[in-house]
Amino acid sequence: MKKFFISILLLAIAASAVFYIGWVQIKVKADQIGIIISKTNGVEDQPVENGKFYWSKLFLLPTNAILKTFEVKPLNTEKTVSGQLPSGELYTSIYNSSNNFTYSFTYTISLSISPQAIVELFKENKISSNEDLQEYLQGAADTIAQLATNYILEKSRENPKFQVESIRRDDLFRAIKVYNEFPQIDLLVFAISQSKIPDFKLYSQLQNQFIQNQDKYFLNSESKSQDQNSLESQNNDNLDEDLIS
């Protein structure tokens, strides 16, 4: 009987050890997910999430499997996109205009990504670590801010009365095709906290004036060149007559 109880105890200890070794989600902290990579199966399709029971036999073989963890909490960031219209500084200096051709937009952005999407990015070799994931999200925020800026500038150029406050979130997202660019991302917050739109009307006037002045300069230069050529030709003719006489 004593041997029987010892056998039962040993079996229970062995079963507990097997259970603990394969009990995966206990190794994943809150606000994290895990991805299992094994020598036998490669990358597992199912992410390991904190609070959801996950047991895998892949860990029973020593050195067969590893668990890589990634943060899944939303990225909260602020992005500023600024610049100047082409040749804006030149027009300002030539025509002594106040510099109204700069623009600046500051966006408050919060975005998240699903655990399954992180697995897909990992399998596509777009990320290999949590640092890569954070860089990917920051890059997505940068791109979204730049696309929004391009859209606002184009709208402002088309319509001088355009107001940034009139932009509807859904219209903006459709126009810049956010979810075509980043289908894995969920944009939780997108707000324009500060904006400075260039004076497109003045810019267009000075641009046209500059082009006209360039045309006049070109025509004057061409006329002077023709006069110079004519004078040189006449001088050559006179020289030839002097030589003949």
Side-chain angles (χ1 to χ4, degrees):
M1 181 66 68
K2 185 176 180 181
K3 291 182 178 180
F4 174 76
F5 282 115
I6 292 174
S7 298
I8 292 295
L9 179 61
L10 291 175
L11 286 173
I13 293 173
S16 298
V18 168
F19 174 79
Y20 182 77
I21 292 171
W23 188 17
V24 184
Q25 95 278 356
I26 195 175
K27 304 171 186 176
V28 178
K29 298 178 182 179
D31 296 325
Q32 285 186 343
I33 64 107
I35 298 178
I36 298 174
I37 307 104
S38 68
K39 297 175 182 177
T40 52
N41 283 32
V43 180
E44 294 295 291
D45 294 330
Q46 186 68 27
V48 180
E49 301 181 55
N50 180 275
K52 293 184 179 180
F53 179 76
Y54 197 113
W55 187 90
S56 175
K57 63 182 180 182
L58 296 172
F59 287 91
L60 299 181
L61 294 174
T63 72
N64 176 57
I66 61 172
L67 181 72
K68 294 186 73 70
T69 56
F70 297 82
E71 292 183 2
V72 289
K73 58 184 179 181
L75 171 71
N76 301 311
T77 185
E78 191 174 81
K79 298 293 182 181
T80 297
V81 180
S82 60
Q84 185 167 240
L85 298 180
S87 302
E89 188 173 355
L90 175 64
Y91 301 154
T92 298
S93 62
I94 291 176
Y95 300 106
N96 296 321
S97 169
S98 58
N99 192 350
N100 295 316
F101 309 135
T102 59
Y103 58 86
S104 179
F105 302 95
T106 300
Y107 305 93
T108 301
I109 299 174
S110 177
L111 47 83
S112 65
I113 187 168
S114 70
Q116 193 62 54
I118 296 176
V119 175
E120 294 303 317
L121 289 174
F122 186 86
K123 293 176 73 173
E124 293 170 4
N125 294 319
K126 292 182 178 179
I127 61 171
S128 60
S129 65
N130 187 63
E131 290 74 19
D132 289 345
L133 175 61
Q134 300 310 310
E135 288 181 11
Y136 177 84
L137 295 176
Q138 288 286 356
D142 286 332
T143 300
I144 292 169
Q146 185 62 62
L147 290 172
T149 298
N150 295 344
Y151 173 81
I152 294 170
L153 290 176
E154 182 61 22
K155 285 292 184 182
S156 302
R157 185 187 65 81
E158 293 173 353
N159 180 12
K161 296 182 180 180
F162 175 79
Q163 298 290 328
V164 175
E165 296 78 12
S166 67
I167 299 175
R168 295 179 57 189
R169 173 189 165 109
D170 292 342
D171 292 341
L172 176 63
F173 287 1
R174 278 195 297 270
I176 66 178
K177 300 178 180 178
V178 170
Y179 295 116
N180 288 0
E181 293 283 338
F182 302 100
Q184 306 93 342
I185 285 176
D186 185 15
L187 200 50
L188 305 175
V189 175
F190 185 85
I192 305 172
S193 54
Q194 292 181 352
S195 64
K196 179 180 184 295
I197 297 177
D199 188 338
F200 277 99
K201 184 177 181 180
L202 178 60
Y203 177 79
S204 180
Q205 290 173 352
L206 296 186
Q207 186 180 51
N208 291 333
Q209 188 174 343
F210 179 79
I211 293 173
Q212 290 172 5
N213 289 338
Q214 287 288 90
D215 290 341
K216 290 178 182 178
Y217 175 78
F218 176 77
L219 290 173
N220 289 336
S221 298
E222 190 177 48
S223 176
K224 289 178 180 179
S225 178
Q226 289 175 354
D227 292 342
Q228 183 68 27
N229 290 336
S230 176
L231 179 60
E232 289 178 357
S233 177
Q234 184 178 353
N235 290 336
N236 289 334
D237 290 343
N238 292 338
L239 179 61
D240 290 341
E241 289 178 1
D242 290 341
L243 291 173
I244 294 173
S245 61

